[in-house]
């Protein structure tokens, strides 16, 4: 039974996201389903990256564009603005699984890096998973295509 569950989680339980096997299907602007994070995913050579465009912050003591990467493990990067940084890097498209794998995701709230993978669901949502060694014990966030709605911080 354990082997079955392990295989089930490692191969992914959702249907193939991108029936056309288009590596660029993840490119564009995506907003989290909680409407608290907006990213732009783009291709950079043979890899894909995602940068922060907007985020909702409970602490309103500063404007969004004033927040810096103060938790970054590299002291030289602690002064950079959070808006515009690449939080998703090094994703490569895997045509066999129709997913984007072997990436890294950065959690600026803690200054932590995690392994990352991305897949698309049947309904066209983007499922971003951050994990440490094993996907099935990671955390996933779902994003939908951004339709240029007004964002309020």
């Amino acid at each position: 039974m354990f082997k079955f569950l392990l295989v089930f989680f490692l191969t992914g339980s959702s249907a193939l996201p991108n029936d056309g096997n288009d590596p660029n299907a993840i490119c564009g602007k995506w907003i989290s389903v909680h409407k608290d994070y907006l990213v732009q995913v783009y291709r950079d050579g043979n890899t894909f990256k995602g940068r922060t465009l907007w985020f909702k912050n409970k602490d309103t003591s500063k404007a969004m564009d004033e927040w810096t990467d103060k938790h970054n493990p590299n002291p030289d990067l602690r002064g950079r603005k959070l808006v515009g940084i690449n939080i998703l890097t090094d994703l490569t498209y895997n045509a066999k699984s129709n997913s984007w794998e072997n990436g890294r995701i950065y959690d600026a709230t803690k200054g932590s890096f995690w392994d990352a993978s991305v897949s698309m669901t049947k309904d066209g949502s983007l499922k971003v998973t951050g994990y440490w060694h094993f996907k099935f014990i990671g955390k996933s966030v779902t994003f939908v295509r951004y339709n240029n709605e007004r964002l309020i911080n």
Side-chain angles (χ1 to χ4, degrees):
M1 179 68 171
F2 178 75
K3 285 183 183 178
F4 170 77
L5 288 174
L6 184 61
V7 170
F8 178 77
F9 281 116
L10 290 177
T11 59
S13 59
S14 63
L16 290 178
N18 171 19
D19 293 337
N21 280 329
D22 177 10
N24 296 313
I26 64 170
C27 294
K29 293 179 182 176
W30 298 87
I31 190 162
S32 68
V33 293
H34 300 294
K35 307 274 189 223
D36 59 356
Y37 211 80
L38 177 67
V39 297
Q40 180 177 20
V41 178
Y42 62 98
R43 188 175 194 142
D44 184 18
N46 290 327
T47 66
F48 294 85
K49 297 179 178 180
R51 72 175 136 240
T52 303
L53 297 178
W54 174 89
F55 59 91
K56 190 173 211 169
N57 197 335
K58 293 177 185 171
D59 181 351
T60 58
S61 63
K62 299 182 201 175
M64 180 181 43
D65 63 351
E66 294 177 23
W67 288 97
T68 59
D69 192 10
K70 65 183 180 182
H71 299 292
N72 195 298
N74 181 343
D76 294 337
L77 298 178
R78 291 181 186 156
R80 70 180 177 168
K81 305 289 185 191
L82 289 178
V83 173
I85 66 169
N86 283 320
I87 57 153
L88 193 59
T89 58
D90 302 327
L91 285 168
T92 55
Y93 181 67
N94 182 333
K96 287 183 180 180
S97 64
N98 200 19
S99 62
W100 296 260
E101 305 290 335
N102 304 313
R104 301 281 288 161
I105 192 164
Y106 176 61
D107 176 0
T109 63
K110 297 178 181 158
S112 303
F113 291 90
W114 302 94
D115 296 323
S117 67
V118 174
S119 60
M120 291 182 78
T121 63
K122 281 184 188 181
D123 68 359
S125 297
L126 200 67
K127 181 180 171 188
V128 179
T129 303
Y131 60 95
W132 185 66
H133 295 294
F134 304 103
K135 289 182 199 176
F136 67 92
I137 56 174
K139 181 179 179 184
S140 296
V141 177
T142 302
F143 289 79
V144 295
R145 289 243 182 231
Y146 177 63
N147 63 7
N148 294 322
E149 64 195 82
R150 181 166 164 75
L151 299 172
I152 301 170
N153 201 12

